[in-house]
Amino acid sequence: MQKVVVEIEKAAHVLKLLGDKTRLTIMAILKKRECCVCELLEVFDMSQPAISQHLRKLKDAGLVKEDRRGQWIYYSLNLENELYDFIQEILQHIPDQTENIRKIEETNPTLRCGC
Amino acid sequence: MQKVVVEIEKAAHVLKLLGDKTRLTIMAILKKRECCVCELLEVFDMSQPAISQHLRKLKDAGLVKEDRRGQWIYYSLNLENELYDFIQEILQHIPDQTENIRKIEETNPTLRCGC
DNA sequence: GATTTATATAAGTATATTGTTATATGCTTA
DNA sequence: TAAGCATATAACAATATACTTATATAAATC
């Protein structure tokens, strides 16, 4: 992978955002699968606003983007982020999220209404 | 570089530590050159205890180690850290610290006494 | 052994962070 | 247009963080 040098303030900001277990896990999940808030709720023992607030921070920093589809807002990694390669390299070291994704797909919150 | 998977809590802890501009800069400097506190003082606009406290956190997490030599305590990256490869990969993306190292060597705080 | 220098630790403070509950917004559907 | 679901935002509280100044400790030197 190409070595891209990143401004130190920007790097510190991204690292701080990833330096929270919940956000780091969210990022690792989104790497594999776009998700809406109600799906992420299955993974974390936390209120809906707490998840929304973490996603807000990630969105404000450009780490994720949102895509509204009807009632749901789907979050995914923002491939256009200036620091995307840097973030990807970090996420490569984070454990596989298959188990958490299983939790989401088992319950399948967005399927309750048959969408 | 080998891809080593790191426990998510440990990863988040390290990322949080690196998610501070001062500590990230310290780590990037130590990658190039061991330093004592009085040397790092040349780089940051901050009190001596502030630097010491950052180093303490890095040491507690095993990111750096210390080596007392007389009056001075030299800090360097802890090559034995379980997450060393992970940390190295992150530091590869951080800007070169030549300019800060120049600041240190220009003043050469540890040379005042001729050691 | 008193003084100086390097560093650590303690105590305090301002601010940031991360959660909570309550409420607002926005879309869908009856 | 009212009701219901998904999500966001507001307001607040507890805790964590990152500094500061004052002081303690440890080694070197006079």
Side-chain angles (χ1 to χ4, degrees), chain B residues 1-13:
Chain B
M1 191 176 284
Q2 205 201 333
K3 180 163 64 174
V4 180
V5 170
V6 163
E7 227 176 281
I8 202 148
E9 307 227 2
K10 288 183 185 169
H13 185 217

Side-chain angles (χ1 to χ4, degrees), chain B residues 42-59:
Chain B
E42 303 295 327
V43 176
F44 302 100
D45 187 22
M46 202 174 281
S47 68
Q48 172 266 313
I51 305 287
S52 282
Q53 282 156 16
H54 281 303
L55 286 167
R56 179 71 142 80
K57 288 188 181 185
L58 294 172
K59 198 191 71 179

Side-chain angles (χ1 to χ4, degrees), chain B residues 27-66:
Chain B
M27 290 292 287
I29 292 172
L30 294 185
K31 186 184 163 184
K32 287 288 194 66
R33 183 190 199 279
E34 60 172 12
C35 285
C36 53
V37 174
C38 65
E39 288 176 327
L40 293 171
L41 261 173
E42 303 295 327
V43 176
F44 302 100
D45 187 22
M46 202 174 281
S47 68
Q48 172 266 313
I51 305 287
S52 282
Q53 282 156 16
H54 281 303
L55 286 167
R56 179 71 142 80
K57 288 188 181 185
L58 294 172
K59 198 191 71 179
D60 285 350
L63 270 59
V64 307
K65 58 185 171 60
E66 56 181 42

